[in-house]
Amino acid sequence: MKSKTIVLKFGGTSVGSIERIKIVSKIILSHKSKNTRIAVISSAMSGVTNELIKKSKSICNNFDHAEYDTLLSTGEQVACALIAGNLKSLGYNSRSWLSWQLPILTEGNYSNSRISNINTKNIKKYMKEGGIPIVAGFQGINSNFRITTIGRSGSDASAIMLAKFLNADECIIYTDVDGVYTTDPRMHKKAKKIKKIFYDEMLEMSSLGSKVMQPTSVQDAKLNKIDITVKSSFVKKNGTLITGSKKSFSDQIITGISSTKDDAKITIVGVKDKPGVAAAIFKPLSDNSINVDMVVQNISLNKKETDITFTIKADDLKKSEKLIRNNKKIQFKKLAFDKNLSKISIIGVGMITTPGITYRMFKSLAQKKINIMVISTSEIKISVLISNKDVKKAIACLHKEFNLD
Ligand code: ADP
Ligand code: ASP
Ligand code: MG
């Protein structure tokens, strides 16, 4: 009988204490059978990565990038050693594997690298002999043999890429919720578990604030056609399948609602309405790695001047203001700011073929007297910028409007 390879990933809360490490070990062993080969990816114990970031900041604000990644990668090392050590104490063959020991190769900048290759030769042999490798998530090495990390929540991408390079039959992401919900179940009690969701919808939901899966990992899964099951390590329940397969999907128009917090808005009032101005505004922001999200430019009534509004993360507000004020390439009348904003998005492939969704979204927000500040759309999502204080109310009314309750 052909053997089956599965990759199991455990998130921070799942491995957040010694009790949890013991429970996770039991889950790993529950997958063990004569014909199953298991590889595990673990995150750091919950809170550890944040503590490490704090430590680097207490040294200085511009801590060395390479040392930052070396520091952050240690969280995963602890969790992997604890799981492997626990499995060994129970009499099983297991060992931890750090990225440089495989190796897991990455490309790109520190803190935000992407996995380009994983040498699976040694773990494949180990798995064939019945061993359970516990691989540190979130990290790799670059062409200078330095340790890199692959972005916050990156262990999700480690799991997908390990599944790809092992040619695994299954990839299960164990977390602290029992699947992907129509909206964050911690924000709205009536959120419902989704049985199956398309990669594209999951990608939009993740990118628009649904933290349950890291966006890069969903992109990697889509590119490599890897089905993902999201499940709870706390309760034994069926999870959610993230897939590209069109088999037995519901005909829901809207699949999910995502929200972000801590967005900010800048309006540059009275800039010259001529070619090149937008590029001149955004160049210094881009040079400083400030992520600009929604952008709107007003219609210029006198054809001489216009207003440009855009959103960024509130953390970047001060720096962005300084960059705009110091930008000699633009002239404007005034700058206006707004913080404590959120972006609410409705997502669903059903939107492509169903007219009237935008109207229904705006109408239900209007009925709740929620003011919309900026709007942006794509084929399968509509996002609006609103005040932080209206987020819960907005999620509740949209959840009801689109029959998700
Ligand atoms: P892990 O540490 O296992 O990687 P995360 O904290 O990254 O877990 O992701 C799980 C969390 O994602 C949940 O606790 C939940 O609050 C949040 N979340 C946000 N949006 C959703 C959603 N649509 N469905 C499920 N969980 C969501
Ligand atoms: N430990 C890392 C983080 O907190 C990676 C992960 O948990 O996936 O971002
Ligand atoms: Mg996560």
Side-chain angles (χ1 to χ4, degrees):
M1 195 176 162
K2 191 186 165 283
S3 67
K4 176 178 155 190
T5 300
I6 57 175
V7 172
L8 310 176
K9 179 258 170 176
F10 295 92
T13 322
S14 299
V15 297
S17 65
I18 296 303
E19 282 67 43
R20 293 294 318 161
I21 297 274
K22 290 182 179 168
I23 291 168
V24 157
S25 304
K26 278 194 192 145
I27 296 175
I28 296 170
L29 295 174
S30 74
H31 286 276
K32 205 167 160 49
S33 77
K34 220 170 91 203
N35 295 310
T36 311
R37 296 174 188 179
I38 308 167
V40 175
I41 289 275
S42 183
S43 289
M45 296 167 94
S46 54
V48 168
T49 311
N50 288 343
E51 279 303 317
L52 293 167
I53 293 173
K54 251 199 227 160
K55 285 195 170 101
S56 76
K57 287 202 168 133
S58 64
I59 299 265
C60 63
N61 264 334
N62 56 346
F63 195 80
D64 182 81
H65 294 306
E67 296 309 336
Y68 182 83
D69 281 18
T70 305
L71 176 70
L72 262 58
S73 73
T74 59
E76 272 67 15
Q77 178 166 348
V78 173
C80 286
L82 286 171
I83 299 171
N86 188 49
L87 288 172
K88 284 207 91 168
S89 77
L90 296 170
Y92 293 90
N93 193 10
S94 182
R95 64 155 280 194
S96 59
W97 239 293
L98 302 180
S99 57
W100 58 270
Q101 295 172 315
L102 284 163
I104 297 174
L105 303 180
T106 63
E107 284 172 353
N109 298 332
Y110 289 107
S111 301
N112 201 21
S113 293
R114 279 199 74 156
I115 295 174
S116 54
N117 195 20
I118 302 181
N119 186 335
T120 52
K121 189 172 151 239
N122 291 335
I123 52 168
K124 263 191 182 150
K125 184 165 172 275
Y126 186 71
M127 288 159 76
K128 198 173 166 191
E129 289 160 359
I132 308 173
I134 317 292
V135 181
F138 181 50
Q139 56 203 275
I141 56 168
N142 63 17
S143 52
N144 295 324
F145 303 105
R146 296 298 309 259
I147 292 175
T148 54
T149 61
I150 59 171
R152 294 305 306 267
S153 303
S155 301
D156 291 338
S158 306
I160 305 302
M161 293 308 269
L162 187 60
K164 168 191 156 116
F165 286 104
L166 282 174
N167 207 2
D169 301 278
E170 236 187 300
C171 180
I172 306 177
I173 305 287
Y174 278 102
T175 181
D176 56 6
V177 270
D178 60 337
V180 178
Y181 277 67
T182 47
T183 192
D184 188 344
R186 295 182 211 283
M187 295 283 282
H188 185 58
K189 281 208 185 76
K190 291 183 180 165
K192 282 227 175 75
K193 188 159 64 184
I194 303 169
K195 272 194 188 149
K196 272 190 179 187
I197 182 166
F198 285 123
Y199 293 128
D200 285 335
E201 293 174 316
M202 190 68 242
L203 190 54
E204 289 280 14
M205 281 183 72
S206 308
S207 314
L208 295 165
S210 299
K211 161 170 193 268
V212 60
M213 285 298 295
Q214 187 219 27
T216 311
S217 71
V218 183
Q219 221 170 27
D220 288 337
K222 182 186 167 183
L223 282 173
N224 297 295
K225 297 194 174 63
I226 292 165
D227 282 0
I228 310 168
T229 304
V230 179
K231 266 189 164 182
S232 168
S233 70
F234 289 76
V235 288
K236 217 174 165 184
K237 280 189 179 168
N238 287 337
T240 298
L241 180 71
I242 307 172
T243 182
S245 151
K246 293 198 170 58
K247 254 191 268 162
S248 61
F249 261 88
S250 76
D251 51 8
Q252 207 49 274
I253 299 166
I254 297 303
T255 305
I257 302 172
S258 299
S259 64
T260 60
K261 52 181 183 216
D262 305 326
D263 287 278
K265 169 167 81 82
I266 299 183
T267 302
I268 311 181
V269 181
V271 278
K272 290 261 169 325
D273 189 16
K274 60 174 190 188
V277 168
I281 292 172
F282 293 118
K283 180 168 189 306
L285 299 174
S286 153
D287 290 346
N288 282 276
S289 305
I290 292 173
N291 204 2
V292 174
D293 184 13
M294 305 163 109
V295 183
V296 268
Q297 177 173 335
N298 283 354
I299 300 219
S300 158
L301 290 177
N302 59 11
K303 299 227 162 66
K304 283 185 194 146
E305 282 173 353
T306 185
D307 305 336
I308 292 186
T309 298
F310 59 91
T311 66
I312 47 173
K313 281 289 160 199
D315 277 352
D316 290 329
L317 190 56
K318 271 206 180 118
K319 197 168 172 190
S320 304
E321 179 188 358
K322 210 164 150 194
L323 289 167
I324 295 166
R325 292 205 191 277
N326 292 342
N327 188 343
K328 299 267 176 321
K329 299 233 161 79
I330 52 167
Q331 285 147 16
F332 53 88
K333 288 198 173 128
K334 111 177 173 198
L335 282 185
F337 308 97
D338 215 340
K339 305 200 278 195
N340 304 321
L341 306 177
S342 279
K343 189 169 66 168
I344 302 284
S345 311
I346 57 171
I347 296 117
V349 290
M351 189 179 295
I352 300 173
T353 47
T354 317
I357 303 302
T358 316
Y359 164 68
R360 278 173 66 187
M361 181 181 197
F362 295 172
K363 180 197 68 186
S364 39
L365 293 172
Q367 277 166 353
K368 293 284 169 198
K369 302 208 166 15
I370 297 170
N371 185 36
I372 300 173
M373 300 174 204
V374 183
I375 301 159
S376 81
T377 61
S378 82
E379 227 185 0
I380 64 163
K381 71 115 205 256
I382 306 166
S383 302
V384 294
L385 190 72
I386 62 172
S387 165
N388 264 350
K389 68 173 175 29
D390 291 328
V391 171
K392 280 203 166 182
K393 207 162 58 168
I395 291 176
C397 79
L398 295 172
H399 207 263
K400 189 159 179 230
E401 171 66 32
F402 293 104
N403 309 322
L404 299 172
D405 275 359

